[in-house]
Amino acid sequence: MSRLLSIEPLTKEAFAPFGSVIETEPTAMRFINGGNTERYHALARVDVAGEGSAVIINIFRGQPRIFPYAVTTMERHPLGSQSFSPLSDRPWLVVVAADEGGQPGRPRVFLASGRQGVNYGRNVWHHPLMSIGAASEFIVVDREGPGNNLEEFFYEESFLIPDPLKGQTP
Ligand SMILES: NC(=O)N[C@@H](O)C(=O)O
Ligand code: NI
């Protein structure tokens, strides 16, 4: 089987096995503040586990990845979900994998727009942040607390992600 990965558009349905997509989903919208404001309600749920854990809000600034990119490692957070919401309005990549007996299977690559975020479910395999084209900032909501919240895996043979914006102006 080819080690070259295809890139899929990020949709709520396709991403559902891995978590939630954070975007202005019309079915989640309700007007508040006397009609002044659209509230896109409960797009994702933060999940933290363990005594003494807390939900924290961070900003990550990710340097652009160089493509084609070799995926050699995946990670997961057994004690908490982790969300990324772009601040820079630039497309970025979401790389996840199903769990196969305690290891990540073949990665799936989703191209997210600059207006789409994701919430990785607790213990879902994913690749660390992948910015495209320029340094990009994200609001990240995840967990702080006791215990080991990072599990890493290294593939014996890497997978390759082609340039997601080939032929497009970045
Ligand atoms: N290490 C860290 O906080 N970042 C990763 O979890 C990531 O998914 O980018
Ligand atoms: Ni992570």
Side-chain angles (χ1 to χ4, degrees):
M1 180 183 284
S2 166
R3 308 300 289 188
L4 181 64
L5 299 173
S6 58
I7 301 177
E8 309 171 55
L10 180 65
T11 66
K12 176 181 169 185
E13 297 72 22
F15 192 71
F18 307 103
S20 307
V21 176
I22 300 169
E23 61 184 341
T24 50
E25 163 67 46
T27 59
M29 195 283 280
R30 61 187 66 166
F31 283 107
I32 58 172
N33 301 340
N36 168 272
T37 306
E38 299 167 13
R39 177 186 174 118
Y40 292 83
H41 182 70
L43 298 172
R45 292 186 184 279
V46 179
D47 176 8
V48 294
E51 189 65 32
S53 60
V55 176
I56 56 173
I57 299 176
N58 319 271
I59 288 178
F60 284 22
R61 177 181 295 130
Q63 295 303 314
R65 301 290 186 172
I66 309 300
F67 294 94
Y69 180 88
V71 177
T72 59
T73 180
M74 297 286 270
E75 65 170 37
R76 62 181 177 180
H77 308 299
L79 299 174
S81 57
Q82 186 176 47
S83 75
F84 290 80
S85 298
L87 291 172
S88 306
D89 201 2
R90 295 188 57 81
W92 60 294
L93 284 187
V94 175
V95 182
V96 287
D99 183 59
E100 295 178 358
Q103 300 184 356
R106 179 183 180 87
R108 285 181 68 180
V109 184
F110 295 95
L111 179 61
S113 76
R115 310 304 293 270
Q116 289 182 302
V118 295
N119 188 45
Y120 298 125
R122 181 155 66 93
N123 223 24
V124 169
W125 290 109
H126 59 280
H127 188 278
L129 177 58
M130 296 199 76
S131 298
I132 303 173
S136 306
E137 295 183 349
F138 298 78
I139 296 279
V140 175
V141 179
D142 59 7
R143 175 196 183 269
E144 185 175 64
N148 177 27
N149 194 28
L150 175 62
E151 182 181 352
E152 295 178 292
F153 177 83
F154 298 88
Y155 288 111
E156 285 184 10
E157 188 181 356
S158 63
F159 295 88
L160 205 59
I161 302 177
D163 186 338
L165 298 184
K166 198 163 190 59
Q168 299 178 39
T169 49

